[in-house]
């Protein structure tokens, strides 16, 4: 290696050896990727600067990978160079009293909570993959998860970023301040940028106190019409923490694929998991009201930490158990909360007409209108064209005033759809991308 | 079949325990049924659902333990007995077992189920002492239980295999993890449980006097764990060198 990469502190993998590292070249989307010429495990920001310089000089594509838990193919290698930040996983500073932490971007998301729990603090972005996703990946996708209702998405946690742009500049978007009104917010451009503007190397993040007492309840619903009023009732308690839902099809697959036992002694149309920071007596009155106006048929209480973890397993294992042995088309979409029920009702009505045998499975974050729509395909349906299904789904999303991507990003999957439905927005996005990545190495 | 379940109320496994003035400070702690006892309770309810009869939950403690008895109701227990003692933290296993033995005198239980140990003290003695006081057999660490009108068959994990015990009734059985997965209390169960009365017996009225054999002098928190330390160095070799030096010169273990 007679070039810049030879000066790198971290490891550089090349040649045949690359084939031992295939896991670093793609995320969980199952989309295509091209084996790169080099895989770099960066140890420092200066390594990253060298990689960017190398790619500019040699006109090579550069893909950044985090924990590769993404669902949009955004992290998939496109030949050229792949850089991983997994060795850049240090905590640089921890201001306990102010609940602020300064980390390198390669740190595993849940590790931040593990490190700060002793001080009664946690990092509030949490979902089934945060045990392996990285903060850099979360920031680059503006990850959401199950606590968005209470704490907001990743965007709400980031105070400031250090970035190496696609031109090789080292950019500090600000500092560890909680308020910042100095013109356009540069950090916000990088949040959700899917590695297309630069490489995030460091972040100041805010932490939150660990909730004192959580009550977790699983409600059984007999119809779709009850979802929205139940969500409304649950929200009336200011301390609502999480509000998740899944349908009967999900529940059946969970019981079969995840060896989780049935929750009730009969089936229900929908299951809603609600978590409040409250005492169980307070929650009791809300649930009794829901029961008395037939919004719910019954509910299960998890009052202990152990029982809560058990109940959450149902929600957390959905994604994996759907993919287990099935071909799945996944849609991560966002619908304005006030249109969610209508949207789901229309889907259920229209799907059988257009795709009579299609197995539609719905779950997601009820509280913020983020629906994960899944179509499980068996042999017969393999022939269904992805494109036509995409179009069918997205037209309904647009009609409902929703967003094509709630939290998984555009990636390879949705960029062209975004361009089609939002040409003007897409144009401006491209303009911004060409400022930070004029040579197009990151795209 | 009438079954008695011994229930201990303990701090939730994630609760932060504060000890001061020789006592565990109870403010802010969330109290739950000790996890092994919950398994015992679930087993009792399953036996009742199969063979009929009743399940009675009994607990020694201050008024707070009534919460746990209500949870037991919500899961399916029929009766609850609260042996009230405001200073129960200072009671030993012998005192608690004696109180239970006395309180159930003249009542007809064929099976007593309990957790193998409380998740707070890990003592595991109350069911054993109760067995001794009553002259009943005790089988510990059950992972499978079958009861018919004459006898109990209890499967217990043993070194490299499984031991199967048969016992006449009455019998005391302690539950191990894996015996079952306790059900969640349901909303409807909780609503019904609110109206159910709990039988309260004052510890002092049992006429046991000062029965504890062990005097608890007080509680102290464990010493705080010393802070971890990062070994710094320019490269792995320098870090290894510094680590070796620290282990040899400062901690003196090599
Ligand atoms: C079981 C499961 C459940 C999930 N649930 C949720 C959920 O509830 N909410 C949610 O939002 N997502 C969810 N996801 C999707 C995924 O976990 C998130 O998108 C996550 O934020 C990706 O992080 P990562 O580190 O794995 O990033 P990767 O997948 O490796 O990369 C994602 C994108 O970030 C870029 N990137 C990574 N690191 C950097 C960096 N340092 N600088 C610049 N760009 C970078 C990559 O180039 C890529 O474009 C789930 C995934 C799984 C497998």
């Amino acid at each position: 290696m007679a070039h810049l990469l030879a000066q790198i502190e971290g490891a550089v993998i090349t040649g045949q050896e690359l084939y031992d590292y295939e896991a670093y070249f793609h995320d969980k989307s199952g989309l295509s990727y091209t084996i790169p010429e080099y895989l770099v495990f960066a140890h420092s920001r200066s390594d990253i600067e060298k990689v960017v310089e190398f790619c500019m000089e040699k006109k090579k594509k550069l893909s950044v990978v985090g924990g590769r838990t993404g669902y949009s193919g955004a992290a998939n290698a496109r030949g050229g160079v792949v850089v991983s930040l997994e060795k850049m996983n240090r905590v640089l500073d921890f201001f306990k009293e102010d609940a602020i932490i300064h980390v390198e971007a390669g740190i595993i998301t849940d590790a931040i909570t593990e490190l700060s729990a002793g001080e009664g603090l946690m990092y509030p972005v949490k979902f089934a993959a945060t045990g392996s996703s990285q903060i850099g990946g979360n920031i680059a996708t503006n990850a959401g998860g199950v606590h968005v209702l209470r704490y907001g998405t990743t965007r709400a946690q980031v105070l400031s970023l250090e970035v190496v742009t696609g031109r090789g500049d080292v950019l500090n978007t600000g500092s560890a301040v909680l308020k910042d009104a100095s013109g356009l917010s540069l950090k916000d451009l990088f949040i959700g940028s899917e590695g297309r503007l630069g490489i995030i190397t460091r972040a100041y993040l805010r932490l939150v106190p660990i909730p004192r007492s959580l009550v977790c309840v699983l409600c059984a619903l007999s119809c779709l019409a009850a979802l929205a009023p139940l969500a409304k009732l649950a929200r009336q308690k200011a301390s609502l923490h999480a509000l998740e839902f899944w349908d009967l099809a999900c529940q059946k697959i969970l019981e079969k694929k995840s060896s989780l036992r049935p929750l009730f002694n009969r089936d229900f149309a929908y299951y809603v998991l609600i978590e409040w920071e409250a005492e169980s007596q307070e929650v009791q009155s809300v649930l009794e009201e829901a029961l008395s106006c037939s919004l719910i048929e019954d509910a299960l209480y998890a009052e202990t930490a152990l029982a809560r973890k058990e109940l959450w397993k149902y929600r957390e294992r959905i994604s994996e158990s759907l993919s287990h042995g099935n071909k799945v088309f996944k849609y991560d979409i966002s619908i304005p909360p006030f249109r969610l029920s209508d949207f789901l009702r229309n889907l259920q009505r229209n799907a059988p007409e257009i795709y009579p045998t299609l197995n539609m499975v719905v779950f997601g974050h009820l509280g913020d209108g983020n629906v994960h729509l899944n179509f499980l395909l068996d042999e017969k349906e393999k022939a269904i064209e992805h494109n036509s299904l995409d179009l069918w789904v997205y037209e309904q999303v647009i009609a409902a005033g929703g967003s094509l991507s709630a939290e998984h990003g555009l990636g390879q999957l949705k960029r062209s759809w975004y361009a089609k439905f939002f040409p003007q927005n897409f144009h401006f996005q491209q303009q911004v991308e060409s400022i930070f990545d004029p040579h197009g190495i990151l795209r | 079949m009438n079954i008695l379940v011994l229930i201990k109320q303990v701090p939730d496994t994630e609760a932060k325990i504060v000890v001061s003035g020789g006592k565990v400070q109870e403010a802010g702690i969330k109290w739950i049924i000790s996890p092994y006892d919950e398994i015992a309770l679930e087993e009792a309810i399953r036996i009742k659902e199969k063979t009929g009869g009743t399940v009675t939950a009994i607990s020694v403690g201050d008024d707070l333990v009534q919460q746990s008895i209500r949870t037991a109701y919500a899961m399916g227990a029929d009766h609850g007995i609260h042996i009230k003692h405001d200073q129960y933290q200072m009671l030993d296993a012998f005192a608690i077992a004696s109180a239970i033995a006395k309180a159930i005198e003249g009542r007809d239980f064929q099976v007593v189920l309990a957790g193998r140990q409380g998740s707070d003290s890990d003592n595991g003695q109350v069911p054993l002492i109760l067995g001794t006081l009553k002259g009943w057999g005790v089988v510990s660490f059950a992972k499978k239980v079958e009861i018919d009108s004459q006898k109990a068959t209890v499967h217990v994990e043993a070194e490299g295999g499984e031991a199967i015990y048969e016992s006449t009734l009455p019998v005391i059985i302690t539950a191990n993890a894996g015996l079952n997965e306790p059900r969640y209390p349901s909303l409807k169960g909780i609503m019904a449980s609110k109206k159910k009365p709990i039988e309260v017996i004052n510890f002092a009225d049992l006429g046991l006097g000062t029965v504890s054999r062990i005097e608890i002098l007080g509680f102290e928190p464990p010493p705080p764990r010393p802070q971890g330390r990062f070994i710094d160095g320019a490269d792995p070799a320098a870090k290894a060198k510094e680590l070796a030096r620290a282990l040899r010169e400062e901690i003196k273990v090599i």
Side-chain angles (χ1 to χ4, degrees), chain A residues 26-28 48 63-76 83 85 105-107 109 125-130 132-146 148 154 163 190 193-201 244 315-316 318-320 332 365 370 372 406-409 411:
Chain A
H26 61 84
D27 64 8
K28 291 230 188 290
I48 305 255
S63 313
V64 195
V65 291
R68 287 104 52 214
T69 65
Y71 273 137
S72 69
N76 286 15
V83 64
L85 278 78
I107 192 168
T109 315
V125 176
K126 173 93 192 133
F127 49 86
T130 43
S132 37
S133 73
Q134 296 173 9
I135 268 303
N138 289 173
I139 296 171
T141 54
N142 187 23
V146 297
V148 169
T154 298
V163 183
F190 285 88
S193 65
E194 301 184 79
R196 295 165 67 88
L197 301 182
I199 298 103
I200 299 158
T201 46
E244 301 287 311
R315 171 62 187 84
E316 284 168 354
I318 294 174
S319 203
E320 278 168 32
D332 158 53
H365 312 290
N370 180 181
H372 295 311
E407 55 180 16
H408 294 168

Side-chain angles (χ1 to χ4, degrees), chain B residues 33-231:
Chain B
I33 299 178
S34 177
Y36 288 116
D37 293 350
E38 206 184 10
I39 296 173
L41 177 63
E42 173 67 31
E43 196 63 22
I45 296 165
R46 288 187 191 184
I47 295 168
K48 177 189 88 168
E49 284 169 349
K50 231 188 276 165
T51 65
T54 61
V55 172
T56 301
I58 192 165
S59 190
V60 180
D62 58 16
D63 286 340
L64 262 179
V65 304
Q66 294 207 1
Q67 265 180 31
S68 288
I69 295 176
R70 296 233 172 264
T71 304
Y73 280 165
M75 287 172 69
D78 305 280
H79 306 293
I81 305 173
H82 170 201
I83 302 179
K84 186 170 150 63
H85 192 301
D86 290 336
Q87 302 296 320
Y88 73 101
Q89 276 195 14
M90 300 298 164
L91 295 175
D92 69 0
F94 186 75
I96 289 171
S98 304
I100 294 171
K102 188 85 185 176
I104 63 171
E105 247 173 36
R107 302 186 203 220
D108 177 32
F109 293 111
Q110 289 84 47
V111 177
V112 177
L113 277 156
R116 54 178 266 193
Q117 68 207 62
S119 70
D120 53 352
S121 61
D122 287 340
N123 231 337
Q125 296 193 51
V126 171
L128 311 183
I129 299 174
L130 181 64
T132 309
L133 293 172
K134 300 299 274 188
W136 296 345
V138 183
V139 187
S140 296
F141 296 85
K143 63 169 210 181
K144 187 173 165 202
V145 175
E146 289 158 299
I147 308 272
D148 63 32
S149 54
Q150 308 296 323
K151 64 175 196 304
T153 311
V154 183
H155 299 235
V156 170
E157 206 137 341
E159 188 71 45
E162 186 180 75
I164 303 173
Y165 296 95
E166 256 182 33
S167 163
T168 53
L169 306 183
V171 64
I172 299 179
I173 301 167
T174 76
N176 205 351
L179 175 59
N180 58 49
E181 276 185 83
R183 70 195 64 193
Y184 300 97
S186 78
L187 177 61
K188 286 182 176 164
I190 289 173
M191 288 166 69
S193 79
K194 281 199 212 159
K195 299 182 199 97
K196 265 194 198 162
I198 293 173
E199 180 184 345
V200 182
I201 300 172
N202 273 312
F203 191 95
D205 296 345
L206 290 170
L208 297 168
T210 321
V211 66
S212 280
R213 304 292 164 93
I214 295 171
E215 190 190 351
I216 294 170
L217 299 177
F219 292 83
E220 266 179 51
R225 242 196 336 188
Q227 273 248 310
R229 167 173 158 199
F230 286 100
I231 301 283

Side-chain angles (χ1 to χ4, degrees), chain A residues 214 288 299 301 303 305 309, chain B residues 12 14 30 182 185 187-188 194:
Chain A
L214 288 176
E288 283 177 22
Y301 268 75
E303 294 197 40
K309 283 193 188 126
Chain B
D12 197 358
E14 277 182 5
K30 185 158 170 180
L187 177 61
K188 286 182 176 164
K194 281 199 212 159

Side-chain angles (χ1 to χ4, degrees), chain A residues 91-327:
Chain A
V91 172
L92 301 163
D93 235 328
F94 181 18
F95 306 93
K96 300 167 196 165
E97 285 74 22
D98 299 321
I100 293 173
I101 198 162
H102 190 202
V103 294
E104 287 186 314
I107 192 168
I108 301 280
T109 315
D110 282 350
I112 301 178
T113 288
E114 279 156 31
L115 287 164
S116 48
E119 304 298 330
L121 297 168
M122 64 173 202
Y123 180 65
V125 176
K126 173 93 192 133
F127 49 86
T130 43
S132 37
S133 73
Q134 296 173 9
I135 268 303
N138 289 173
I139 296 171
T141 54
N142 187 23
V146 297
H147 293 151
V148 169
L149 270 184
R150 178 73 187 274
Y151 304 108
T153 61
T154 298
R155 193 178 296 283
Q157 326 309 332
V158 176
L159 303 180
S160 163
L161 297 174
E162 178 193 82
V163 183
V164 178
T165 70
R167 316 187 325 165
D169 335 67
V170 177
L171 178 67
N172 262 300
T173 68
S175 59
V177 292
L178 295 165
K179 297 173 82 175
D180 188 359
S182 14
L184 280 182
S185 170
L186 293 176
K187 103 188 160 193
D188 281 298
L189 287 178
F190 285 88
I191 300 171
S193 65
E194 301 184 79
R196 295 165 67 88
L197 301 182
I199 298 103
I200 299 158
T201 46
R202 292 177 170 196
Y204 278 102
L205 304 168
R206 74 158 186 154
L207 302 172
V208 299
I210 295 175
R212 220 168 35 85
S213 156
L214 288 176
V215 186
C216 179
V217 181
L218 191 109
C219 300
L221 279 67
S222 63
C223 63
L224 180 65
L227 277 179
L230 177 63
K232 184 173 161 210
L233 193 67
R235 260 197 218 101
Q236 283 168 2
K237 286 205 70 68
S239 55
L240 183 59
H241 229 247
L243 183 56
E244 301 287 311
F245 83 113
W246 59 96
D247 66 3
L248 178 60
C250 267
Q251 180 64 23
K252 287 285 163 207
I253 291 167
L254 274 171
E255 288 168 17
K256 209 163 111 195
K257 303 270 173 69
S258 279
S259 63
L260 291 168
R261 65 197 156 126
L263 286 159
F264 298 91
N265 46 22
R266 70 181 188 84
D267 292 341
F268 291 95
Y270 289 94
Y271 299 82
V272 176
L273 187 71
I274 316 180
E275 195 162 73
W276 287 278
E277 183 174 358
E279 298 300 329
S280 39
Q281 294 90 319
E282 298 172 67
V283 165
Q284 184 70 20
S285 63
V286 178
L287 292 177
E288 283 177 22
E289 190 182 333
L291 191 67
S292 72
C293 40
S294 300
L295 291 181
I296 61 176
E297 301 297 315
D298 203 349
L300 301 179
Y301 268 75
E303 294 197 40
T304 68
L306 229 76
R308 222 172 53 238
K309 283 193 188 126
E310 285 298 311
L311 264 194
W312 268 105
K313 277 187 191 160
Y314 288 81
R315 171 62 187 84
E316 284 168 354
R317 291 194 185 165
I318 294 174
S319 203
E320 278 168 32
S321 48
L322 292 183
S323 313
H324 195 269
N326 285 316
K327 176 142 183 61

